[in-house]
Structure formats: structure tokens, C-alpha cells
């Protein structure tokens, strides 16, 4: 299990204002917790959770190991108490007001301060600010929080409903997750461990201030072009003063290296909430561009309130000026579905992201830096924050802003109908408003989506046959109330600058490919539909927002949770670490289609990694070749929240699977693609560049598995900007005979005018079980240095899908899972701070022919 580390300093909270004449008292230290009714108190880490801390204190076992998951389940049925004391000085009490801010409580909780109940929490996704000046006292003050079981506290809702919702991912007989406004994935998923947590999951602070505070500052971009950015600054000011205050509200703004400019307005602030509007226009703005298209310019916008010739309070936001819209327009096929950024159509390249930890508070700044390093390294420009997790932490969006990665933001609803009574919807309304206001200034945030697969479930998963008509009809009506009325109304009111769709998929179902022409699609024909990899090219969607294929993580990750005697598909440990009901059998079914039967479990794991990578590359490339009809490929999924068999391209410990290397190659800014059709090879340039490339050379080689290169062709080609185009077609009989297809491959690559290789594409005419792969030995030499091992590989004959292994979690490889041609020399660097020259950590190599 990863080290359970404290992250208190990782996320500076977004309190909504920075005080010139006030101060902030942090309340994250000194908490203890206990099971309600018990008298054993443990030190608590805040932010954190009960289960996280019980594991730290060794009350609970490592839930990732073996079958220990079941040994931590009892905690969710109990109530838990947290307490701390803190000191307030007489000087602090002389401030006009004091506001305590709980950025996140998970989830049902009562909060008491000095004998007064100041808060009842019912939503993990809402931050709570409470004025407590009249409750505080000089000297010691006491905080006490009682967290209620997310199961038992809502059991009466289930009992009075009279039925269980069809929440198949809720891994308990009683389905309580739908009544909770907390992260659904904590209750389990088809890749997820169940640990339904309680605790203080975000920071706590106490802010003292005088006169006024800025509660919110929205830099609303009403129009952004290359010539002009029109901005409506909306400043929400709260005044504590008994009498009206004459004040000046000013907005200053500047890009990096520019002189500050400003606009001001004289206002009278009345006691309570005040909203001030200041409009401005920036000529020829430095626009924020997606990665690969230009720089990610960020302006500093600062709002301040001045009275009596001094600034009382101010708030600064980092703002990227850009326009982003979802384009859905009728065309000859149906209706388009693509994103336009700064007026330019964008092919969305990326993945679905789930919370990277079941213990979410371990996602510190270092975690997010590594996550976005991996996103960038795979040449992605888009990431979907999926609706079964959380609204992500500030650092996630900061990284996306800084790196030019666009974010598809789901609201947190997934795969099940939800209640729609007035009380539930009032809770949802608070959540939606809070997160709209928290995230709407983010340049990276491209658009809002109401939910994940709720309508698809209602229409296509058989619930209408499993439940009485009166229940089913209430769900349909509730869907409209929540996702077609409430949430879009709030998006328009509190954002008004982004597109919204009621759910994903928008208007399609993977079992009905005829619906693909007008919507985004979750295409599970591959995997759940048992469709072969090559079948994906024949059913292109307008935008693929989910599709994927499973693999086991590599053996070093499996060793972290399983003893060797459990290394089999049907062992109890492997079943616990495979949450998809037919997952292991499906991996085997596909493997039987494409590969020789592996000799043992370790070979099975390795072949599965290769199969996932090569198969998913085939699917993604077909989508990229298919533009402008298809304009997005967001595969499921980039990451894991525990060590598990899943659809991820990077495992829990940061090890790249073969899929991530393949995604890096196929998503390159200028990639070479190939289509085998009607006994022709059509070579494509797949370009995201905004200018044409007219200086390219295409080299195509016919390579015999045993002899090496037997034919070579070279041709000058051009790559048109921001498009996919065929640049060369070969009749296959020009290259090789029918009999040679089992013994030869095609290697092609693009080079620029300086001879630099831009993209390499290998094409095999068959999958490995129909290839005559030669027996060969890969010669390996290793140069050892602290932090870096350099591995040189050669082989006299073709070695297919060469995999380099090293028993260091998260080590980075410049390449892996490669095809090593006869006589080719390949140099690969492995980097990790754990590598030491003196240790000579073992490096092992295998290839496909060695598995049978």
C-alpha cells in the first residue's frame, strides 16, 4: 500500500478572500477521533478520513492486500466523533467578525462549537462558512464533530422507499449510495474497492476580518476574440457594518510582464450581501491556448475594496482568456459533436479520469504534478472528470490551466436514477452552485455535463422491466427535473459562458450504432459487446467519450497485493481485485482470439498488457483517422484508485501499461496512421498543428522477421493543418505476397527536413497467433548510474512487443513494449530516484515468442 501521507500544505484553501486587516487561524492540527460510545481516542490527520487513520494506527489491516477489503467494511456502519481545542486571543476577538470555513466534511455530520450546534452537513461537495464571532471566547475553544454512518443514517430512506435502486456498483445488498451526496465510487465500482468513508476531507480555517469581505470574484468572459476580450467582473462583497459603507471597488489586471491596468466603481455597501459589476475590454488579448496550439497565457485579476483611503480586502484570480464551445450542428450525417477553442475545431485526445486514490486526501500536489506529467507525456489535450468521483481539488485545475489541458466536467451523478424530492434537490442545488462558483474561473474547464450514463440506464438497461411503471415513471420525471431543468438553469445563471449537456452519452447507446451519428458515445461494443478490436473502425462515433479494454497490472504490482500461491485467474485474491463480473473471462476470450495460449500466469499478465495496448491503439487511431466526422477519443480510463485489474493505462503505483505507450504514439501532434482496406495500405498524416507541414518524408520498409529489411520506399509528403488525410496508398501486392503476410511486417515513419523522426508506425497483417514469429534471444546490456539505467537491446531476428521489467514502482522508461527488428539497436533509459548504480537492480526482458 502507498504510504499514507499528510497533505495539509498541499492545497491552499479557497476561502474567497484575503484580508488586509485580518488574519487566518488554521484548524487542521490537533484533532483526535473515536468511535461513538467508545473511550479510545486516536490522533487524526486532517484532511483525512476515519478509515485512513485507522489503517495508520494499525487498527485496520492494509485493505489492498489479499482479501482484506472485507475486514474494513464494519467501519461504515458506525458513527465517529472528532474533537479539538484551539485558542483565540483577545486581540483576535476585537475584529468585527470571525468565520469558520469547513471546505469539506464527508458527509452526514453535526458540528458543535462551545456548546452550540453551528452546522448540520449533508453534502461532501459543499464548503460551509459560518459566522461564529458571538460563540468564540477568549482562551480555549472546543470543536466537536459527530459523523454519522453513511449507511445507517440513511437506512430509513431505503426502508420507506420500499425498494432498492438499481445501483449495481454499490457493493452492498442495501443500496444507500444514491441517497448520499458523497463520492459514489467510495461505495465500490466495477474497478473499485468499497471504502465508504467519514471525516474531515478538506482543510478547516477560521478567518477574522473587519468591515467587509469578498466572498466571490467571477471574471466572466462574455466575448473573447483575437481582437478583443470583453469582461464582466462580478464581485460579491459581504459587509458586516451596521451602517452603509462608502467604498471603491477596483479590478486590476495584467498578463505576465505587462503593466497593471484597472477599472473602479464607487459604491455604497449595505449590511449583508452586495454584488458589484465592473465591465472592461482588453484589446488584442494574450489568449490561453490548448497544449500544442500556443502558450497558456494567464492574467492576474485582482478585485479589492477600499474605504477611508485604504484597501480593506482583496482577492486574486488567475484567468486564461479564451473562448470554448461545444458545437452541435445538423449536418449530412446527423449532428456534429466537437469542441471549438478560440474559433478553431479541436480533436479531443485524452482519457477519462477517476479519483486517483480511494483515500482521496492523499492526492497532494506531488500526485497532481505526476498525473499531469503523464497526461502531457501521452500527448493528450483533454481529460474527463467522471461523474462517479469528486469535483476535483484546486490543484487539478491549476495544473490543467498551466499545461493547456481542457477539462470535461461531469456533475457527480453516475449510472443510477436518483431521488428527486424537494429536499434532495435542494441539497443538489447547493452543491451545484457551490462548485459552479468554485470552478467557473478556470480556463481549462471546457464545459459541464449533467451526469454519467443515467439516461442511458433508464432507456437501455432494462429497469423499465425490473420495476413497476409508477416507480420507473417517477425516475423519468426526476431525471428531467434534475438534469434538464434544475442544473442547466443554475449553469446558465452562475456561469453562462460554457455549454452544457444533460448527460453522457448524450443521445446514443453502444448497442445501437445507428445512434452514433448525432451524439457522444460510450462505445462498449469492444469489451462488453465482445466486438473484435478491428471492428471498432467500422462504427465510428462523432465523439467517443468512453471506450476501453481491461488488463491486469504488471507482476510487480500484483506481488504487492498477492502471494504467489494466489497467482491464478480463479483465486480468491484475483477475484477480489477484479470487480467486473466477467472481466477475467473476457480477457481470456480475447486472448484466445489473438494469441497462443500462454505458458503460465505471468505470461498471461504480460500478454494481456500487450493486447490491451495494441488493441486500444487500433481503436484510437481509427477515430483519429475519421475526423472531421469523429472529433474526440477519450478512452476509459487513465488511472486506478487501488491496485486492481482494470481498464487503466497507468496502474495505481504509476507504472505505465503498454496502452499508455501506445496512446503516446497514436496521439502525437503529428502522427502517422495506416489503414489496411481492400488489400491496400492507406497512410495518413494525423495532424493537430495549426499550420501545414510541407517538409516531410515518408519511408516505408518491408521487413522479414528473420532477414530484416527486404524493400524500402521513400516519398515526399505534406501534412495538412489540423486534419487527417491520406498521403500515400500502396497496393499490398506491390509490397509482399499473400504467403509473406505471416512472415513479414511493414515499418513506416515520417521525418522532417532535418531527418528527425516524428512518428513511427508498425503494421502486421495478422495478430500474433497467425504470425510465424521466430525464436530469438534479445541481447541486453545495462549501464548503471544513480537515478538512471541505460539499457541497450539488440536481436538477430524480430522480437515482438519487447517488455523491459524492473522491480521499482513508478520507474519511467523512454519506451517499452517495443517491436525490435532484426539487427536493430534500441537504447532505452529507465529513471527513478530509487535506482542506484551500486545496487545493479535486476533488469529483465521478455518478448511474445517466449510465451509459447
Amino acid at each position: 500500500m502507498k504510504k499514507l501521507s499528510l497533505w495539509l500544505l498541499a492545497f491552499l484553501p479557497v476561502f474567497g478572500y484575503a484580508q488586509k486587516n485580518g488574519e487566518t487561524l488554521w484548524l487542521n492540527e490537533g484533532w483526535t477521533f473515536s468511535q461513538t460510545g467508545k473511550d479510545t481516542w486516536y490522533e487524526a490527520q486532517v484532511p483525512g478520513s476515519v478509515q485512513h487513520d485507522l489503517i495508520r494506527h494499525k487498527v485496520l489491516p492494509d485493505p489492498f492486500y489479499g482479501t482484506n477489503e472485507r475486514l474494513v467494511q464494519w467501519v461504515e456502519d458506525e458513527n465517529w466523533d472528532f474533537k479539538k481545542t484551539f485558542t483565540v486571543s483577545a486581540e483576535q476577538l476585537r475584529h468585527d467578525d470571525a468565520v469558520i470555513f469547513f471546505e469539506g466534511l464527508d458527509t452526514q455530520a453535526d458540528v458543535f462549537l462551545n456548546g452550540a450546534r453551528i452546522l448540520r452537513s449533508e453534502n461532501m461537495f459543499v464548503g460551509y462558512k459560518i459566522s461564529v464571532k458571538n460563540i468564540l471566547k477568549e482562551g480555549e475553544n472546543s470543536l466537536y464533530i459527530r459523523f454519522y454512518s453513511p449507511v445507517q443514517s440513511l437506512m430509513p430512506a431505503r426502508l420507506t422507499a420500499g425498494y432498492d435502486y438499481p445501483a449495481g456498483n454499490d457493493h452492498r445488498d442495501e443500496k444507500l449510495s444514491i441517497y448520499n451526496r458523497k463520492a459514489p465510487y467510495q461505495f465500490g465500482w466495477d474497478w473499485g474497492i468499497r471504502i465508504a468513508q467519514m471525516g474531515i476531507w478538506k482543510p478547516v480555517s477560521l478567518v477574522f476580518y473587519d468591515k467587509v469581505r469578498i466572498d466571490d470574484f467571477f471574471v466572466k468572459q462574455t466575448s473573447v476574440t483575437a481582437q478583443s476580450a470583453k469582461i464582466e467582473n462580478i464581485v460579491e462583497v459581504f459587509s458586516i457594518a451596521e451602517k452603509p459603507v462608502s467604498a471603491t471597488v477596483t479590478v486590476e489586471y495584467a498578463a505576465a510582464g505587462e503593466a497593471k491596468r484597472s477599472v473602479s466603481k464607487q459604491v455604497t455597501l449595505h449590511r449583508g450581501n452586495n454584488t458589484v459589476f465592473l465591465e472592461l475590454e482588453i484589446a488584442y488579448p494574450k489568449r490561453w491556448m490548448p497544449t500544442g496550439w500556443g502558450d497558456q497565457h494567464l492574467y492576474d485579476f485582482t478585485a479589492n475594496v477600499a474605504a477611508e483611503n485604504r484597501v480593506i480586502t482583496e482577492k486574486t484570480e488567475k484567468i486564461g482568456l479564451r473562448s470554448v464551445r461545444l458545437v452541435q450542428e445538423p449536418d449530412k450525417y446527423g449532428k456534429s459533436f466537437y469542441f471549438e477553442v478560440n474559433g478553431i475545431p479541436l480533436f479531443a485526445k485524452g482519457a477519462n479520469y477517476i479519483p486517483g486514490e480511494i483515500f482521496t486526501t492523499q492526492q497532494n500536489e506531488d500526485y497532481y504534478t505526476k498525473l499531469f506529467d503523464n497526461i502531457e507525456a501521452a500527448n493528450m489535450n483533454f481529460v474527463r472528470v467522471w461523474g462517479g468521483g469528486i469535483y476535483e481539488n484546486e490543484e487539478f485545475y491549476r495544473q490543467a490551466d498551466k499545461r493547456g489541458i481542457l477539462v470535461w466536467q461531469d456533475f457527480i451523478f453516475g449510472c443510477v436514477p436518483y431521488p428527486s424530492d424537494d429536499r434532495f434537490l435542494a441539497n443538489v442545488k447547493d452543491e451545484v452552485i457551490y462548485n459552479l462558483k468554485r470552478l467557473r474561473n478556470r480556463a481549462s474547464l471546457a464545459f459541464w455535463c449533467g451526469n454519467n450514463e443515467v439516461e442511458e440506464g433508464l432507456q437501455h438497461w432494462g429497469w423499465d422491466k425490473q420495476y413497476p411503471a409508477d416507480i420507473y415513471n417517477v425516475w423519468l420525471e426526476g431525471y428531467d427535473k434534475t438534469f434538464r431543468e434544475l442544473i442547466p438553469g443554475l449553469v446558465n445563471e452562475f456561469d453562462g459562458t460554457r455549454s452544457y449537456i444533460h448527460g453522457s452519452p448524450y443521445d446514443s447507446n453502444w448497442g445501437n450504432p445507428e445512434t452514433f451519428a448525432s451524439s457522444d458515445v460510450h462505445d462498449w461494443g469492444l469489451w462488453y459487446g465482445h466486438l473484435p478490436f478491428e471492428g471498432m473502425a467500422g462504427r465510428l462515433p462523432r465523439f467517443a467519450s468512453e471506450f476501453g479494454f481491461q488488463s491486469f497490472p504488471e507482476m510487480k504490482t500484483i506481488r504487492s497485493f498477492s502471494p504467489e500461491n494466489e497467482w491464478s485467474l480463479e483465486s480468491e485474491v484475483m477475484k477480489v481485485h477484479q470487480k467486473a463480473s466477467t472481466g477475467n473471462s473476457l480477457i481470456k476470450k480475447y486472448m484466445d482470439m489473438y494469441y497462443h495460449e500462454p505458458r503460465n500466469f505471468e505470461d498471461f499478465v504480460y500478454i494481456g498488457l500487450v493486447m490491451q495496448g495494441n488493441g486500444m491503439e487500433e481503436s484510437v487511431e481509427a477515430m483519429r483517422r475519421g475526423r472531421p466526422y469523429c472529433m474526440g477519443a477519450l478512452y476509459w480510463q487513465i488511472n486506478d484508485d487501488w491496485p486492481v485489474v482494470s481498464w487503466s493505462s497507468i496502474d495505481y503505483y504509476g507504472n505505465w501499461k503498454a496502452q499508455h505507450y501506445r496512446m503516446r504514439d497514436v496521439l502525437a501532434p503529428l502522427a502517422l496512421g495506416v489503414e489496411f482496406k481492400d488489400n491496400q495500405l492507406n497512410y495518413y498524416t494525423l495532424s493537430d498543428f495549426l499550420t501545414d507541414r510541407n517538409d516531410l518524408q515518408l519511408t516505408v520498409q518491408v521487413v522479414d522477421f528473420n532477414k530484416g529489411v527486404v524493400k524500402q520506399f521513400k516519398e515526399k509528403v505534406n501534412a495538412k493543418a489540423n486534419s487527417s488525410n491520406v498521403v500515400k496508398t500502396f497496393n499490398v501486392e506491390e509490397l509482399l505476397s499473400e504467403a509473406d503476410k505471416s512472415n513479414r511486417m511493414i515499418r513506416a515513419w515520417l521525418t522532417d527536413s532535418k531527418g528527425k523522426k516524428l512518428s513511427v508506425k508498425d503494421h502486421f497483417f495478422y495478430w500474433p497467433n497467425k504470425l510465424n514469429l521466430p525464436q530469438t534471444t534479445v541481447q541486453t546490456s545495462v549501464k548503471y548510474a544513480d537515478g538512471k539505467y541505460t539499457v541497450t537491446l539488440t536481436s538477430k531476428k524480430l522480437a515482438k512487443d519487447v517488455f523491459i521489467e524492473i522491480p521499482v514502482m513508478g520507474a519511467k522508461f523512454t519506451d517499452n513494449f517495443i517491436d525490435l527488428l532484426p539487427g536493430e539497436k534500441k537504447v532505452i533509459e529507465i529513471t527513478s530516484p530509487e535506482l542506484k548504480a551500486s545496487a545493479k537492480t535486476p533488469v529483465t526482458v521478455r518478448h511474445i515468442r517466449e510465451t509459447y
Side-chain angles (χ1 to χ4, degrees), residues 406-436:
L406 290 154
V407 176
W408 168 314
Q409 180 66 56
D410 279 1
F411 290 97
I412 306 304
F413 303 87
C415 297
V416 65
Y418 285 84
S420 56
D421 57 89
D422 290 347
R423 179 68 181 270
F424 186 86
L425 290 184
N427 197 4
V428 168
K429 180 178 180 180
D430 291 343
E431 168 189 326
V432 170
I433 293 172
Y434 181 80
N435 286 286
L436 284 168

Side-chain angles (χ1 to χ4, degrees), residues 188-199:
W189 216 265
D190 56 6
W191 38 259
I193 189 171
R194 179 189 176 101
I195 305 181
Q197 294 161 71
M198 293 152 279

Side-chain angles (χ1 to χ4, degrees), residues 149 164 276 538 573 703 816 829:
S149 160
D164 272 315
V276 182
V573 171
V703 182
N816 212 340
E829 293 180 351

Side-chain angles (χ1 to χ4, degrees), residues 603-838:
D603 285 344
F604 179 92
V605 168
Y606 156 59
I607 293 173
L609 288 163
V610 169
M611 179 170 65
Q612 180 199 35
N614 291 341
M616 286 295 290
E617 178 186 28
E618 190 166 328
S619 299
V620 172
E621 186 187 311
M623 293 172 188
R624 204 169 172 200
R625 290 197 310 261
R627 71 177 300 179
Y629 176 84
C630 177
M631 285 296 288
L634 307 183
Y635 68 84
W636 184 271
Q637 67 210 67
I638 189 174
N639 63 315
D640 288 326
D641 73 336
W642 73 307
V644 67
V645 187
S646 82
W647 296 265
S648 70
S649 62
I650 304 173
D651 77 19
Y652 176 69
Y653 293 107
N655 304 303
W656 283 26
K657 298 181 179 180
Q659 182 180 355
H660 210 73
Y661 294 96
R662 299 290 78 80
M663 294 301 99
R664 175 198 63 185
D665 297 341
V666 75
L667 298 179
L670 178 55
L672 184 64
V674 63
E675 175 188 47
F676 179 47
K677 188 175 182 180
D678 299 329
N679 213 34
Q680 292 183 323
L681 287 178
N682 300 312
Y683 280 95
Y684 284 72
T685 54
L686 315 173
S687 179
D688 294 322
F689 291 125
L690 298 183
T691 55
D692 293 345
R693 295 292 300 269
N694 300 319
D695 59 343
L696 306 176
Q697 179 173 276
L698 173 66
T699 302
V700 178
Q701 294 180 336
V702 181
V703 182
D704 185 277
F705 296 167
N706 294 282
K707 301 173 186 177
V709 178
V710 295
K711 290 182 182 179
Q712 179 170 290
F713 304 85
K714 292 187 178 182
E715 186 155 335
K716 295 292 184 182
V717 297
N718 301 325
K720 292 183 180 179
N722 206 28
S723 63
S724 300
N725 298 280
V726 176
V727 294
K728 178 64 178 177
T729 295
F730 289 94
N731 292 318
V732 172
E733 57 262 28
E734 299 174 32
L735 304 176
L736 74 175
S737 68
E738 189 68 25
D740 283 335
K741 288 182 179 179
S742 296
N743 303 285
R744 294 182 176 181
M745 60 170 289
I746 311 296
R747 170 162 287 183
W749 65 88
L750 281 175
T751 50
D752 63 16
S753 59
K754 297 180 180 179
K756 179 183 177 182
K757 282 188 179 180
L758 303 176
S759 179
V760 178
K761 183 65 183 176
D762 289 346
H763 178 76
F764 292 86
F765 289 93
Y766 303 116
W767 283 82
N769 60 355
K770 294 183 179 179
L771 296 176
N772 296 322
L773 296 177
Q775 293 186 351
T776 188
T777 299
V778 177
Q779 301 297 322
T780 306
S781 65
V782 184
K783 180 181 178 182
Y784 301 95
D786 288 348
K788 182 172 75 174
Y789 288 4
T790 304
V791 182
T792 302
L793 307 173
T794 58
S795 176
K796 292 181 179 179
K797 300 178 181 179
L798 171 70
K800 183 159 176 38
D801 298 304
V802 175
F803 174 36
I804 306 171
E805 295 179 90
I806 192 164
V808 175
M809 294 295 192
K812 297 299 181 187
F813 297 72
T814 52
D815 209 350
N816 212 340
F817 299 95
I818 62 169
D819 296 327
L820 188 64
L821 272 53
E824 180 183 18
K825 181 172 78 172
K826 184 75 173 181
V827 178
I828 293 174
E829 293 180 351
I830 310 171
T831 54
S832 169
E834 295 182 37
L835 294 176
K836 304 299 179 187
S838 59

Side-chain angles (χ1 to χ4, degrees), residues 525-544:
L526 176 65
W527 188 255
Y528 286 117
H530 301 204
L531 186 75
F533 289 113
E534 52 270 27
M536 293 292 279
R539 48 189 279 147
L540 291 183
R542 306 311 298 263
F543 192 107

Side-chain angles (χ1 to χ4, degrees), residues 326-338 408 455 501-509 512-522 539-545 628-631:
L326 173 63
V327 181
Q328 291 181 282
E329 296 175 347
D331 59 21
K332 63 182 178 180
Y333 307 107
K335 188 190 296 183
S336 66
F337 192 108
Y338 68 91
W408 168 314
E455 187 180 54
I501 60 174
H502 61 80
S504 179
Y506 182 72
D507 191 25
S508 68
N509 170 253
N512 301 280
E514 66 275 7
T515 65
F516 286 15
S518 299
S519 173
D520 77 308
V521 175
H522 296 188
R539 48 189 279 147
L540 291 183
R542 306 311 298 263
F543 192 107
S545 44
Y629 176 84
C630 177
M631 285 296 288

Side-chain angles (χ1 to χ4, degrees), residues 315-496:
K315 179 172 173 53
T316 297
E317 295 283 354
K318 291 278 188 185
I319 301 296
L321 300 177
R322 84 291 176 273
S323 65
V324 181
R325 72 183 185 106
L326 173 63
V327 181
Q328 291 181 282
E329 296 175 347
D331 59 21
K332 63 182 178 180
Y333 307 107
K335 188 190 296 183
S336 66
F337 192 108
Y338 68 91
F339 291 91
E340 184 185 84
V341 185
N342 292 328
I344 307 168
L346 176 103
F347 187 95
K349 308 179 302 180
N352 286 260
Y353 168 81
I354 65 170
E357 296 278 355
I358 185 63
F359 301 111
T360 312
T361 55
Q362 288 193 101
Q363 295 178 190
N364 58 16
E365 186 172 358
D366 181 61
Y367 164 85
Y368 286 110
T369 298
K370 290 178 179 177
L371 169 67
F372 277 89
D373 284 348
N374 288 328
I375 289 171
E376 275 193 322
N379 294 306
M380 298 178 184
N381 58 21
F382 231 108
V383 63
R384 177 185 177 217
V385 177
W386 163 76
I390 62 172
Y391 303 94
E392 268 297 332
N393 283 302
E394 298 302 315
E395 186 62 24
F396 179 95
Y397 303 97
R398 273 197 287 265
Q399 291 280 348
D401 283 356
K402 182 174 70 173
R403 299 177 190 242
I405 307 298
L406 290 154
V407 176
W408 168 314
Q409 180 66 56
D410 279 1
F411 290 97
I412 306 304
F413 303 87
C415 297
V416 65
Y418 285 84
S420 56
D421 57 89
D422 290 347
R423 179 68 181 270
F424 186 86
L425 290 184
N427 197 4
V428 168
K429 180 178 180 180
D430 291 343
E431 168 189 326
V432 170
I433 293 172
Y434 181 80
N435 286 286
L436 284 168
K437 295 175 77 169
R438 185 171 72 92
L439 301 177
R440 61 190 177 182
N441 277 330
R442 293 296 177 187
S444 54
L445 203 154
F447 94 127
W448 303 98
C449 174
N451 66 78
N452 176 76
E453 295 185 356
V454 177
E455 187 180 54
E456 183 173 59
L458 285 165
Q459 299 294 339
H460 299 286
W461 294 358
W463 297 339
D464 57 332
K465 297 177 178 64
Q466 299 167 21
Y467 290 83
D470 58 337
I471 293 174
Y472 181 71
N473 288 331
V474 167
W475 292 346
L476 292 176
E477 293 168 7
Y479 185 93
D480 288 345
K481 282 200 295 186
T482 305
F483 302 111
R484 287 191 169 96
E485 297 170 19
L486 174 66
I487 296 179
L490 296 173
V491 169
N492 185 60
E493 179 181 357
F494 290 95
D495 183 343

